[in-house]
Amino acid sequence: MKERKKSPLKNMTFKEKVDHIWEYYRIHILVSAMVLFFVGSMLNHLVFNPPKDAGIYVAFLGRFMDMEEIEDLQDRLTEEIVKDETEKTEGKVEFFMLDYDRVEMAEMNMVTVQK
């Protein structure tokens, strides 16, 4: 009959056990943590807190628009135009910056106009 080897962890202190496990399973632990984080993020986004649908979509082109103004406009659109009691839809506002005076922004302007 074969004799079973005794576990090397039996004679170790708690700190030695933790060090031993970390030494041999660190990659497994890190990969498992990343997978759990990714799955948790996806579940949070898709199941528990899904994004609202756009009841109305407004886009602005220009040089500057204050982000607080965009949020206020988005709230007003949701309240006054969408009027959804189920709160599954909302008004969405997007701002695309165009600045033709600056040469370094020429490529970004082209991309924004194509969008």
Side-chain angles (χ1 to χ4, degrees):
M1 269 188 0
K2 267 189 167 177
E3 286 187 37
R4 294 178 88 188
K5 285 186 176 180
K6 289 186 179 180
S7 173
L9 297 176
K10 273 192 172 182
N11 300 328
M12 293 182 183
T13 65
F14 180 75
K15 185 175 181 341
E16 290 173 335
K17 288 178 186 179
V18 170
D19 289 340
H20 178 77
I21 290 171
W22 180 251
E23 184 65 32
Y24 288 98
Y25 297 106
R26 101 179 81 184
I27 294 174
H28 299 84
I29 293 169
L30 293 174
V31 169
S32 299
M34 286 190 288
V35 167
L36 285 174
F37 178 76
F38 179 75
V39 169
S41 296
M42 295 305 289
L43 282 174
N44 181 43
H45 181 71
L46 298 174
V47 176
F48 302 120
N49 297 316
K52 295 180 180 180
D53 294 328
I56 185 169
Y57 178 79
V58 179
F60 290 102
L61 295 171
R63 285 188 184 180
F64 175 78
M65 188 167 191
D66 188 19
M67 292 305 292
E68 290 178 10
E69 289 178 12
I70 292 174
E71 291 173 7
D72 292 342
L73 180 59
Q74 198 163 297
D75 293 339
R76 285 185 53 209
L77 283 172
T78 302
E79 291 172 8
E80 297 176 13
I81 295 178
V82 176
K83 297 180 183 176
D84 183 20
E85 285 98 31
T86 62
E87 296 184 6
K88 291 186 178 182
T89 58
E90 67 181 357
K92 299 228 181 200
V93 177
E94 240 184 289
F95 175 73
F96 299 102
M97 190 176 92
L98 290 174
D99 192 357
Y100 289 111
D101 294 337
R102 295 174 52 193
V103 176
E104 60 270 7
M105 294 292 290
E107 190 173 325
M108 287 300 296
N109 290 336
M110 182 181 65
V111 170
T112 302
V113 169
Q114 287 177 353
K115 194 182 226 184

